[in-house]
Amino acid sequence: MVKVTERVSWVGVKDWDLRLFHGHELSTFNGSTYNSYLIKDEKTVLVDTVWPPHADQYLERLESEVGINNIDMIIINHMEPDHGGTLGKIMELRPDLPIYCSVKGQESIKAYFHKDWNFIPMKTGDTLNIGKNTITFVEMRMIHWPDSMLLYLSEDKIVISSDAFGQHFCTQSLFNDEVDECVLYQEAIKYYANILTPYSKVINRKLEELEKLNLNIEVIAPAHGVIWRKNPMQIIEAYKKWSGNYSEDYAVIIYDTMYDSTRKIALSLEQGLNNKGKKVKLFNASITDLSNLITEMYKADTLIIGSSTVNNGILASIEVLLHELGSHKLCNKDFMAFGSYGWSGESPKHIHQKLIDAKLNPLRDPVSVNYNPSAEALAEIVKIGEQLAK
Ligand code: FEO
């Protein structure tokens, strides 16, 4: 147990080894944590559980440090298995425990465990007095699941926020003032870019709703990563920016290449952009982590995407990238497509059309080069890069 506020302790699990999450969808190079919290007020309240592979460690510690029989109620903020998955084992030991959750949470818990426990559904504005603290419940629908909820404790002035404001960041301390803040920021924005971008409009509205509640917040305790106790509002301010058509002033060139022709085009575009002072990052998609590429596409204001033509189409790494770009709704970006080809030349056209379909803004027609670009062709492409910068 790690004390967070006078009556709230962290009782979660650190997962130092996690490198891929959501199946293999998301890279987590800094591991993660599953943050379960224990509120010891006049009532003893457990908030969320942990991912089932860590259930034994979690339950042993709960038993030795709290005593599972001493828990009066459990709140499930979100029934994705990394937070609700160990609920079943607790209920085997304590089938009488009341479970507070959202209406959608009750549906999710039933769909996962197929049990009819003592559910007490809560909605936004509902409160629960547990002694010194009154808990206010706020539904956080689609941030990032339909069932997600946030709690505010009136006396300890802590927000327990579920996935919102989290990071996949397992490190020596659980508190933001005791960790590397640059890594923390990078993990927080990677988490936002990869998990929350499809719901940015909902998040923006929810932040306005939370502001109107005038909560006196001293600590924000998410379900993953470190807890925001130094200047906790910084992460709310960051979410306000990130959920509002966010972009930074740089272009990202992402390409895949078979025999270096497409790579030569990429390098010439980079040179042209640099010539006119536009900052550029350049990545070969076939050797770069996809979650990091999604983060870069989310941050950049201009996406320049290229592929060789293969079998009348696009190389697989770029095909996947374009799928992710569409599903993450990264639409407030300018773009240009490029590529090389041996004989048919479909790839740049396909990339261009897919980016149009994803509602990005084309800066110009695609750039396409037959086979190996000549020195003259590359000089022309440098000029195109200069025009893009303008
Ligand atoms: Fe961390 Fe949506 O589960």
Side-chain angles (χ1 to χ4, degrees), residues 23-68:
H24 286 180
E25 186 219 2
L26 178 65
S27 66
T28 52
F29 298 125
N30 286 306
S32 194
T33 69
Y34 314 106
N35 296 344
S36 172
Y37 297 98
L38 189 84
I39 309 166
K40 275 190 143 177
D41 207 313
E42 286 169 25
K43 298 287 183 190
T44 299
V45 184
L46 184 65
V47 181
D48 291 328
T49 67
V50 300
W51 196 24
H54 301 274
D56 288 348
Q57 178 193 350
Y58 173 69
L59 293 171
E60 277 166 26
R61 187 143 33 86
L62 263 189
E63 184 54 36
S64 67
E65 299 201 25
V66 183
I68 291 171

Side-chain angles (χ1 to χ4, degrees), residues 5-197:
T5 62
E6 189 179 340
R7 297 169 196 83
V8 178
S9 295
W10 178 90
V11 290
V13 164
K14 286 187 171 187
D15 190 346
W16 291 97
D17 294 341
L18 190 76
R19 292 295 177 271
L20 289 168
F21 194 55
H22 283 168
H24 286 180
E25 186 219 2
L26 178 65
S27 66
T28 52
F29 298 125
N30 286 306
S32 194
T33 69
Y34 314 106
N35 296 344
S36 172
Y37 297 98
L38 189 84
I39 309 166
K40 275 190 143 177
D41 207 313
E42 286 169 25
K43 298 287 183 190
T44 299
V45 184
L46 184 65
V47 181
D48 291 328
T49 67
V50 300
W51 196 24
H54 301 274
D56 288 348
Q57 178 193 350
Y58 173 69
L59 293 171
E60 277 166 26
R61 187 143 33 86
L62 263 189
E63 184 54 36
S64 67
E65 299 201 25
V66 183
I68 291 171
N69 274 334
N70 296 324
I71 297 170
D72 294 305
M73 58 189 74
I74 184 160
I75 298 173
I76 295 293
N77 270 341
H78 173 34
M79 186 44 230
E80 199 168 353
D82 54 326
H83 307 298
T86 300
L87 177 65
K89 293 214 168 182
I90 293 176
M91 297 309 287
E92 279 172 22
L93 301 167
R94 290 289 311 278
D96 57 312
L97 266 185
I99 301 170
Y100 291 78
C101 58
S102 63
V103 172
K104 288 287 176 192
Q106 178 176 336
E107 288 172 17
S108 292
I109 293 168
K110 284 185 175 178
Y112 189 81
F113 290 109
H114 311 287
K115 299 279 188 190
D116 204 6
W117 290 313
N118 178 15
F119 293 107
I120 302 172
M122 305 299 275
K123 57 185 188 314
T124 294
D126 285 351
T127 57
L128 176 66
N129 184 270
I130 56 167
K132 296 268 186 226
N133 277 292
T134 295
I135 303 176
T136 300
F137 293 76
V138 179
E139 290 166 90
M140 300 282 278
R141 280 189 197 181
M142 301 320 296
I143 310 172
H144 68 131
W145 273 30
D147 68 331
S148 301
M149 278 205 310
L150 168 153
L151 311 175
Y152 175 70
L153 275 64
S154 57
E155 188 66 20
D156 283 47
K157 299 181 177 53
I158 180 172
V159 164
I160 300 178
S161 61
S162 189
D163 281 317
F165 314 126
Q167 340 85 41
H168 289 301
F169 187 24
C170 181
T171 187
Q172 79 283 7
S173 168
L174 285 166
F175 299 104
N176 69 320
D177 51 303
E178 295 177 344
V179 305
D180 183 326
E181 290 188 73
C182 293
V183 181
L184 170 59
Y185 178 85
Q186 183 55 32
E187 287 298 345
I189 199 167
K190 178 179 177 181
Y191 186 99
Y192 189 92
N194 280 272
I195 298 171
L196 294 167
T197 44

Side-chain angles (χ1 to χ4, degrees), residues 127-379:
T127 57
L128 176 66
N129 184 270
I130 56 167
K132 296 268 186 226
N133 277 292
T134 295
I135 303 176
T136 300
F137 293 76
V138 179
E139 290 166 90
M140 300 282 278
R141 280 189 197 181
M142 301 320 296
I143 310 172
H144 68 131
W145 273 30
D147 68 331
S148 301
M149 278 205 310
L150 168 153
L151 311 175
Y152 175 70
L153 275 64
S154 57
E155 188 66 20
D156 283 47
K157 299 181 177 53
I158 180 172
V159 164
I160 300 178
S161 61
S162 189
D163 281 317
F165 314 126
Q167 340 85 41
H168 289 301
F169 187 24
C170 181
T171 187
Q172 79 283 7
S173 168
L174 285 166
F175 299 104
N176 69 320
D177 51 303
E178 295 177 344
V179 305
D180 183 326
E181 290 188 73
C182 293
V183 181
L184 170 59
Y185 178 85
Q186 183 55 32
E187 287 298 345
I189 199 167
K190 178 179 177 181
Y191 186 99
Y192 189 92
N194 280 272
I195 298 171
L196 294 167
T197 44
Y199 316 110
S200 280
K201 284 190 180 143
V202 181
I203 292 168
N204 212 270
R205 283 199 298 273
K206 183 57 70 173
L207 292 174
E208 283 173 13
E209 187 187 318
L210 285 175
E211 209 161 24
K212 286 184 192 143
L213 295 177
N214 270 327
L215 304 175
N216 181 2
I217 299 171
E218 290 182 355
V219 178
I220 296 177
H224 295 289
V226 303
I227 295 162
W228 305 88
R229 71 177 179 189
K230 176 184 142 195
N231 182 16
M233 298 309 285
Q234 68 178 288
I235 191 62
I236 291 186
E237 290 305 316
Y239 268 49
K240 275 189 203 165
K241 276 195 302 182
W242 296 344
S243 60
N245 279 341
Y246 181 75
S247 64
E248 298 177 16
D249 179 14
Y250 72 92
V252 65
I253 301 174
I254 306 177
Y255 69 96
D256 197 354
T257 192
M258 291 172 75
Y259 293 107
D260 254 11
S261 297
T262 303
R263 180 167 179 273
K264 287 175 188 171
I265 303 171
L267 291 172
S268 296
L269 289 167
E270 180 198 16
Q271 187 185 331
L273 288 155
N274 280 335
N275 286 351
K276 294 296 174 188
K278 181 76 178 176
K279 294 190 196 80
V280 187
K281 292 185 183 179
L282 188 141
F283 300 98
N284 180 332
S286 71
I287 53 171
T288 309
D289 174 74
L290 181 61
S291 306
N292 284 356
L293 288 179
I294 291 168
T295 310
E296 290 296 343
M297 291 196 295
Y298 166 70
K299 287 165 67 179
D301 61 8
T302 308
L303 310 183
I304 301 174
I305 299 182
S307 169
S308 322
T309 297
V310 61
N311 296 334
N312 308 107
I314 305 167
L315 286 169
S317 67
I318 298 298
E319 192 77 56
V320 171
L321 187 88
L322 295 170
H323 166 78
E324 293 290 344
L325 189 144
S327 67
H328 283 79
K329 297 190 169 64
L330 304 179
C331 49
N332 61 320
K333 312 283 177 187
D334 295 330
F335 83 86
M336 191 197 80
F338 67 97
S340 64
Y341 63 98
W343 57 96
S344 58
E346 289 86 351
S347 159
K349 287 179 257 176
H350 286 334
I351 295 171
H352 185 88
Q353 189 56 48
K354 281 172 185 274
L355 291 172
I356 294 273
D357 294 346
K359 299 190 167 44
L360 277 77
N361 172 45
L363 290 171
R364 53 157 288 147
D365 290 340
V367 169
S368 190
V369 173
N370 180 220
Y371 211 171
N372 188 23
S374 64
E376 293 76 22
L378 290 175

